Amino acid sequence: LEEGLIFELGQPGRLGVDLPDAPQAPNRLGGLARRGGIGLPDLAEPQVVRHFTRLSQKNYGIDSGFFPLGSCTMKHNPRLNERMARLPGFSDVHPLQPISTVQGALELIDTLAHWLKTLTGMPAVAMSPAAGAHGEFCGMVAIKAALAARGESHRTRVLVPESAHGTNPATAAAIGFTVDPIPATTEGRVDLDAFKAKLGPDVAAIMLTNPNTCGLFERDIREIADAIHGAGGYFYCDGANFNAIVGRVRPADLGVDCMHINLHKTFSTPHGGGGPGSGPVVLSDALAPFAPLPWVVNQNGSYAVLEQAKAEAAQSFGRLKAFHGQMGMFVRALAYMLSHGADGLWQVSSDAVLNANYILASLKDVFSAPFEGPCMHEVLFNDDFLKDTGVSTLDFAKALIDEGYHPMTMYFPLVVHGAMLIEPTETEDKATLDQFIAVMRSLADKAKAGTAEAFHAAPRLTPRRRLDETLAARKPILRWVAPELAQAAE
Amino acid sequence: LEEGLIFELGQPGRLGVDLPDAPQAPNRLGGLARRGGIGLPDLAEPQVVRHFTRLSQKNYGIDSGFFPLGSCTMKHNPRLNERMARLPGFSDVHPLQPISTVQGALELIDTLAHWLKTLTGMPAVAMSPAAGAHGEFCGMVAIKAALAARGESHRTRVLVPESAHGTNPATAAAIGFTVDPIPATTEGRVDLDAFKAKLGPDVAAIMLTNPNTCGLFERDIREIADAIHGAGGYFYCDGANFNAIVGRVRPADLGVDCMHINLHKTFSTPHGGGGPGSGPVVLSDALAPFAPLPWVVNQNGSYAVLEQAKAEAAQSFGRLKAFHGQMGMFVRALAYMLSHGADGLWQVSSDAVLNANYILASLKDVFSAPFEGPCMHEVLFNDDFLKDTGVSTLDFAKALIDEGYHPMTMYFPLVVHGAMLIEPTETEDKATLDQFIAVMRSLADKAKAGTAEAFHAAPRLTPRRRLDETLAARKPILRWVAPELAQAAE
Amino acid sequence: MRYLPLTEADRRAMLATIGAPSVDALFKDVPAAAVRRAPVDLPHHAGELSVERQLKAMAGKNLVAGEVPFFVGAGAYRHHVPASVDYIIQRGEFLTAYTPYQPEIAQGTLQYLFEFQTQVAMLTGMEVANASMYDGSTACVEAVVMATRVTKRKKAILSGGLHPHYAEIAATHAAYGDFTLDSAAADPEGLEDLASRIDDQTACVVVQNPSVFGHIRDLTPLANAAHAKGALLVVVVTEAVSLGALMPPGAMGADIVVAEGQSIGSGLNFGGPYVGLFATREKYMRQMPGRLCGETVDADGKRGWVLTLSTREQHIRREKATSNICTNAGLCALAFTVHLSLLGETGFTQLAALNHAKTSQLVEKLKAVPGVRVLNEAFFNEVTLVLPKDASAVVEALAQKRILAGVPAARLWPDHSDLKNHLLVAVTETVTDEDMDALVAGLKEVLA
Amino acid sequence: MRYLPLTEADRRAMLATIGAPSVDALFKDVPAAAVRRAPVDLPHHAGELSVERQLKAMAGKNLVAGEVPFFVGAGAYRHHVPASVDYIIQRGEFLTAYTPYQPEIAQGTLQYLFEFQTQVAMLTGMEVANASMYDGSTACVEAVVMATRVTKRKKAILSGGLHPHYAEIAATHAAYGDFTLDSAAADPEGLEDLASRIDDQTACVVVQNPSVFGHIRDLTPLANAAHAKGALLVVVVTEAVSLGALMPPGAMGADIVVAEGQSIGSGLNFGGPYVGLFATREKYMRQMPGRLCGETVDADGKRGWVLTLSTREQHIRREKATSNICTNAGLCALAFTVHLSLLGETGFTQLAALNHAKTSQLVEKLKAVPGVRVLNEAFFNEVTLVLPKDASAVVEALAQKRILAGVPAARLWPDHSDLKNHLLVAVTETVTDEDMDALVAGLKEVLA
């Protein structure tokens, strides 16, 4: 049975909710009442529940199986966190209630901030960014504000390694910086000499992911930090890969000035098919005064919120998002942190790195690893091993789907050809890795045996086979239109 | 990927829970501490969640699609009911807390009792039975107690129609009654003359399902009631099919003395893969004094619980179940009742009957209906239409699975050959019925076209194909045994 | 109405197909005198918001266990159930499924039932277990009935340490069924001698461990005595967590073990739904009540599971069935299996040890309360106190101070005046040191 | 630790395979100075029970909206969300999925995003919508940036009826980005004239409807004025339910509509996560920020969905992307879609009508409070009151009486002394007659 669109299932005269009658009261819409219908379908509750249940059954999540999507940290999402986020004391509280009535909510934010600062060794944290890219924006604006405060607004060049996430250059550009790429060494790390050669009086910052997107720790990070500081710039660290070092290494000890933290990666708030995320940004002393509003401040055990660029917050660069940030995500992340504790988080990064290296060690004789290990929490292969097989990285990934796995990240980072980036995370057990390794080896054998056709045809066992993305982009259909209207329009 | 048994996934040294250290305190187990291991597997939480998620994906529920299982009333299970049952004021209250601290819980029981009594027109209800069959036991014991109180314990014969649920004779037998079957007419109803002929001074009761298991209303029910009463017996009504008449017909007006109500059928508490259920029993004035303990009594707005056969409850036949009954189910059922209200329940039975008759009308030219309509909430076909096709009712049902449906009830009731009993319920829409009708017709065409082989091979698209039930019964394996132990045992 | 998808237009079209003038016409077989013209006298339909308000108002009148120091047990125990358990049992594929009579699309239910049966057998130390019963109390009487069937004898001896509700249920079945009871007097000291009551008419001896008063005993001598006379030993467990710390009934010679499984996976729920565990020896397998899930293979030779040995059951066997039982406690069994899978061997034994240690800790603390005597020498997580005053009044007084101190024995044995000062006190992992101190302080105050 | 499945034995075996002596050795690329020898100074791991206790203690210090008469709005609204919405979004297949970059195993996410986009387009009266933004406030500034891109102009005019947080965010982006703002003064009376500010440097006019003060206006004249100068009209909606009662922005000439979708499907959550709606005309489709889901066919010719037009996005386009946005608000978008599907055309318009009628009812009741003036002539479900006293003090006094009376304008415009007596009051379907009476009585008392 195919599942139609919700609009195709509706029929006027049904109700999926029961509402009380409206009281008699004057209409005060001032003549601006809606005329004509909206076009929404009418359904009863059983139909709606079944529709979305069936849709869910066409999805693959961490709960469904192994999800080794590199750079995305698809780790287990504890249900305790969901339960905690639904405590009415958090979920049913308005952001503009009197401050006296939300002391517990502010305490939670302050407690989470304390954990983030302690884990990173940084003195301050901006809580309001809604996601990683928003955190990047926050950090880069703080840098721009700090430069302005120093009277160095002429510093507009930002150095970004070629292997960076796309959000890095996009963010820098959005704030009016120019992006200057730094090449990588053959070892998959920043080319220190090339980097130093690019330093100059117009350099604002370097944006560096560490561990980097090749899954490698930037060995020269202290030297990079010193150099950028020496050149008068700031060190923005992309914290997407914090999971690899959380609890074991503090970014402050690496010399960073600011770093965003994807709560939905390292701290396990669910990805939810694309969000919501949360991207707090830790800041050094140099950048802290410019942190966005609002600031939560603990005043002798009672909490206040600074919402204006005045007093302590006089240098704040302003507001980034309405209200206080992604509270629901804060609760989940703190529940996760309290559950693991300092000792557990140490073990998180240990096991994440161990799992990735185990995959590297178990596959490197068959797959082609462009860089030497040890890797950190993820392992990168290129498509050399597929040379002359007629099988592409994409084909290989789609064949994995038929084996019951979510594919690894493909074609990222851009610095290696046909990249396959595998991140097992610490919440997978050895048996799962062993099974995955066996499947990977067997698929590689098949590819080399000249069965390209079978790979091209994959996946076969999914709700849909390969989808025509070109058609979608060439003739975009972004919404459903009632057939009678669609016809009339033609 | 096949999902192993949980025992096959474990490995010593993991933990799926974190517990605090035990306090220092003397061991007071008196030398009776467990020696040796239990054999349970150790897993971490991510593995457990994934394991049971994967198992769930091998199941079909109402949320998955149409579930026309006759006699089982597989209607929509609202999530509101689940939410209400989880209110701490209901879910986190102990049955033996002081009565002063559970007034709300008792109010809920009393309110539900009021709804059940009003909907059935009966003066009393016993709330404690844990399920339908337990309710039957309760009702029949009340009858036995009433007979004893009348000094008529010699009445030991119970009349049960051949079409009855198996629980009816099993229950009667468990209480020491003898079961005397009543034949059916060619119209699928109790043979009134045969029934009357069986009446006599040793008759204790009739157990009659109404609407009966052929989906028909027993037209002569008032006459049956009068006759059994005239003969000094009681009228036990099996209320499994109450969904067909709820809100429109009160069993009291049909002359019944007692009737159990499956809250998981008519009132939508979830079936849960086989329970828990709840089977309150409404009782006539004649039987009410014998109702089981405990009794919840409203004393000027405060609630008391009678737990002994004393005072008002002096004639109670005693206790049936620990504590107060299936409270969690009570909350769900009351949430459902309050949601529908008297007007909604009227519509429930109207739509349930309408849906069934629509299927009957739409299939009767192709399928063989042994009895004339109108039917009530379910429609019965026999296998005449499959004659000489080589396709059995079972084959036909399994073929439906591959079309995306849960099969109808098969081979029940026993009074027709190769029975197919279809109950759509009121929570299905017309489009779903139309689609089902089309599939049914198409399968019937295929069967008649001589494609028996394909039917024998069904289902093909399921997690498992047809399972060998004979093997399971011949060499029962009822538990997992560690391979090394199993080997040692051989 | 939100659960009803038919529109008025649908209804008209469907009636036309049927050829009926109205829905009323479809009810033509209902005797005229019973045909209602209007809905019954109850409130009309209401939205979610309204229903929530009404039910929350009722819920709000109860004192929630988790909000107060809490020591109530006597057959139902407040343990912490992990959030993932509740998530799993709410998944529609489990929640809205039927009994797995169509195994091809019910392997999920069947596999967890097989896992459940295995877990129950392991915990109890027995060979086989069924797919769950309503609860411990009804499982207990089913065990008695089964024992009469196995032994073809008609008398059951009930221990004075058996939960009174369980004993009362057995008495109901005895009064209206086909066996008799020999019930020992309440046994607060845990010193009763049941062996001497066993004779060659005895089908079984039913004994609870820990007893309702909290005593634990080695049942091996009783098992030997029963077996010597051809009787069965039925062991009842109302606190399943105790099986993580104590010698299992199977190791002490039990023939049938029944238990209340609520402690693992289910909340207190004011008494239900809970889940009954039922285990026995392999040789009695075909005499068991309730559903059984068995392993088999499918048409392709793959391992799978089905309901099996259903010739014991009512839907096949009708009046000759081993029980009239039909429903089990599927979803609570699932909760049990998920919770126990999370606990594992390590967690479950740790949990049991923690329960015991905390109880022992409270017993030590209670020494500070003048006039209070603990009756138990050996116990698991529940003990019986003798107070210098009427225990019901003490419990009520403490409830007013928002302390739920336990179950006064008089609640369970209202007619036993010699038990009126007895109080059953249970301690689980959810009890904090502060809770214990509050109880001790409260008792001192109320008893002063 | 319950989330970590590796055993010590596993770790040893894996290190042996790797050929590393220890896990520490795998961290050899970390500069020695940054290598920690021990965990940081934070508490160690804790079980569920302990974590629950800690978080419940914090939650318990907040005054829960649902427990009191509640009139707080100003950009976040307390509506009733059906239980089935929360059930659906908790299903692991949705909750634990990633962004649907692998469409073959993400058709569930993709189909609901397509449904979401359609619903948003329908509600706003626009042609196309994206797959959601972080929230309304960030969507607003993205609209401004897009308008500058479309018009190649650099100035945005902001209405004085725009939520101050939204305006402040735009100001941040303006200060550090590539456009300027012309911001009108706060407009409590709803009488501002923006048309006269539009010139041929104007990229867009940003106006909120209903305004933050609750006023509703016909925006057609403003749209015409903008279009006459080649500028776009950006309409902001912070109360999505209003779209069920009011003429949609698309019908009044909006070029871009952004909205806070929290009212449909999401709780208050102390401000987040919420869901931003973003809709525009088809001709601007390729200038939109954020993800888009599009229809296509698979290798077998079956209809299916994919993420599309991703050449706009950062992961392809990098520094030339239309936005740096990566994450959207997937799960909140799902909640929106499920809730709106339950409501349907009938329910959604009824809900909007109910909100308005209740608000109008409160306005009538407020006439009984001496000294209180309602500023709004036309409104949806929120109005601005002028009190005879400092509104912040009144709100605080009422909060002490457990009435949450609304948002004092001073909370949003701390520097505007002429707004210090202004109070924003919102009414939804969750407000009862008793709640209104409590507010009226409370106001009388506090103002007396």
Side-chain angles (χ1 to χ4, degrees), chain A residues 11 46 58 74 104 117 122 125 145 149 163 178 194 212 221 242-243 249 272 288 300 320 324 326 374 383 433 456 478:
Chain A
Q11 202 174 329
K58 300 181 181 191
M74 298 300 286
K117 289 185 288 187
M122 304 287 279
V125 60
S163 63
T178 56
N212 70 25
I221 189 160
F242 190 44
N243 197 53
V249 179
N300 310 317
L320 265 186
H324 310 277
Q326 303 284 63
D383 61 0
L433 302 187
H456 298 328
L478 304 184

Side-chain angles (χ1 to χ4, degrees), chain A residues 103-360:
Chain A
Q103 288 292 305
L106 299 174
E107 181 184 345
L108 185 130
I109 293 174
D110 191 56
T111 306
L112 178 61
H114 174 70
W115 278 76
L116 292 173
K117 289 185 288 187
T118 308
L119 286 168
T120 56
M122 304 287 279
V125 60
M127 297 299 289
S128 65
H134 208 214
E136 292 179 35
F137 184 87
C138 172
M140 293 307 287
V141 168
I143 287 170
K144 198 166 183 182
L147 290 169
R150 280 161 46 186
E152 299 190 34
S153 292
H154 60 277
R155 289 181 178 269
T156 56
R157 193 156 51 92
V158 171
L159 307 179
V160 181
E162 287 172 341
S163 63
H165 295 112
T167 47
N168 291 177
T171 300
I175 307 166
F177 288 121
T178 56
V179 175
D180 190 1
I182 321 173
T185 64
T186 54
E187 290 190 328
R189 295 178 171 87
V190 166
D191 183 327
L192 193 61
D193 293 335
F195 159 69
K196 285 186 177 169
K198 284 178 183 283
L199 292 173
D202 62 334
V203 165
I206 181 173
M207 295 184 84
L208 183 65
T209 308
N210 187 44
N212 70 25
T213 61
C214 302
L216 303 172
F217 199 94
E218 293 284 355
R219 283 182 207 129
D220 301 324
I221 189 160
R222 292 265 0 167
E223 208 167 342
I224 292 169
D226 292 344
I228 191 80
H229 290 150
Y234 293 99
F235 181 0
Y236 185 95
C237 184
D238 182 325
N241 293 340
F242 190 44
N243 197 53
I245 59 171
V246 62
R248 289 186 73 112
V249 179
R250 299 188 315 170
D253 298 333
L254 303 172
V256 314
D257 290 296
C258 60
M259 182 180 92
H260 75 266
I261 298 168
N262 306 80
L263 295 185
H264 50 288
K265 293 183 180 176
T266 305
F267 299 112
S268 182
T269 71
H271 282 72
S278 181
V281 177
V282 287
L283 300 165
S284 62
D285 281 322
L287 297 179
F290 308 99
L293 301 171
W295 292 17
V296 173
V297 278
N298 184 340
Q299 296 171 327
N300 310 317
S302 99
Y303 293 93
V305 180
L306 305 184
E307 307 209 50
Q308 285 189 286
K310 287 188 175 172
E312 305 157 63
Q315 288 190 280
S316 166
F317 69 70
R319 190 178 285 275
L320 265 186
K321 184 178 179 305
F323 314 126
H324 310 277
Q326 303 284 63
M327 181 70 175
M329 303 294 114
F330 298 164
V331 180
R332 291 171 173 87
L334 185 60
Y336 176 84
M337 290 176 180
L338 293 174
S339 294
H340 269 303
D343 54 337
L345 291 171
W346 173 283
Q347 199 62 55
V348 160
S349 47
S350 302
D351 285 357
V353 169
L354 180 61
N355 274 352
N357 278 284
Y358 182 65
I359 289 178
L360 172 58

Side-chain angles (χ1 to χ4, degrees), chain B residues 121-133:
Chain B
M122 305 286 280
V125 60
M127 297 299 288
S128 64

Side-chain angles (χ1 to χ4, degrees), chain C residues 102-284:
Chain C
Q102 298 292 334
E104 298 88 353
I105 47 173
Q107 286 295 302
T109 298
L110 286 160
Q111 185 169 339
Y112 85 66
L113 288 178
F114 189 78
E115 294 174 349
F116 172 84
Q117 291 175 178
T118 305
Q119 288 173 330
V120 171
M122 285 175 168
L123 253 54
T124 55
M126 303 300 285
E127 288 161 348
V128 291
N130 76 8
S132 83
M133 312 291 285
Y134 305 140
D135 70 354
S137 72
T138 53
C140 176
V141 71
E142 291 279 357
V144 172
V145 172
M146 173 172 149
T148 66
R149 204 157 50 225
V150 167
T151 60
K152 301 192 170 62
R153 298 178 181 178
K154 299 290 187 189
K155 189 177 76 179
I157 298 170
L158 302 189
S159 159
L162 181 63
H163 194 292
H165 287 187
Y166 289 44
E168 291 164 20
I169 295 161
T172 299
H173 281 250
Y176 296 93
D178 194 22
F179 61 90
T180 61
L181 295 181
D182 171 12
S183 300
D187 180 34
E189 309 283 341
L191 299 170
E192 70 182 358
D193 168 29
L194 293 178
S196 62
R197 292 174 180 249
I198 305 171
D199 60 25
D200 56 13
Q201 298 307 308
T202 304
C204 63
V205 184
V206 182
V207 60
Q208 180 175 326
N209 197 50
S211 82
V212 68
F213 295 100
H215 303 289
I216 52 179
R217 293 178 74 172
D218 185 355
L219 303 173
T220 314
L222 186 60
N224 292 338
H227 295 159
K229 300 272 188 180
L232 305 188
L233 178 68
V234 175
V235 177
V236 176
V237 178
T238 63
E239 169 50 296
V241 170
S242 70
L243 295 167
L246 299 179
M247 201 182 293
M252 300 191 284
D255 298 287
I256 306 175
V257 181
V258 294
E260 176 50 67
Q262 170 269 331
S263 285
I264 303 175
S266 290
L268 292 171
N269 290 322
F270 196 55
Y274 291 172
V275 51
L277 315 184
F278 196 110
T280 188
R281 302 183 178 283
E282 192 161 9
K283 63 180 170 185
Y284 304 136

Side-chain angles (χ1 to χ4, degrees), chain D residues 218-237:
Chain D
D218 184 356
L219 304 174
T220 315
L222 186 60
N224 292 339
H227 296 158
K229 300 272 186 179
L232 305 189
L233 178 67
V234 175
V235 177
V236 175
V237 179

